[in-house]
Amino acid sequence: MPEIIWQKSSFSGGDAGNACLELARDGADRQLLRESDEIATVLTVDTDALRALLLAVKAGEFDHLA
């Protein structure tokens, strides 16, 4: 199994107390998501589904939830 390399947002600080969403790719072209302070909990999503979610977030479709 290849090593999973997690990518943290450039908007996240480097301190250990800065929890944020981390992304990685597995060997089957699926995307992995985890919260940096809960590394044992990993969600696996289809690449197209993640793309749709990110586009919706960028478009402000979830702003009313904040």
Side-chain angles (χ1 to χ4, degrees):
M1 175 179 244
E3 178 185 0
I4 296 175
I5 300 172
W6 292 95
Q7 180 179 353
K8 189 180 286 193
S9 169
S10 60
F11 291 102
S12 177
D15 298 336
N18 289 332
C20 68
L21 185 67
E22 296 179 328
L23 299 171
R25 179 175 294 185
D26 72 1
D29 196 34
R30 290 177 301 220
Q31 304 301 315
L32 306 175
L33 291 88
R34 71 180 184 185
E35 182 72 27
S36 61
D37 63 347
E38 289 290 336
I39 62 171
T41 303
V42 177
L43 299 175
T44 303
V45 297
D46 177 78
T47 301
D48 291 334
L50 179 59
R51 182 178 296 114
L53 173 65
L54 293 175
L55 289 172
V57 169
K58 288 179 181 181
E61 294 183 28
F62 301 102
D63 289 354
H64 66 283
L65 299 175

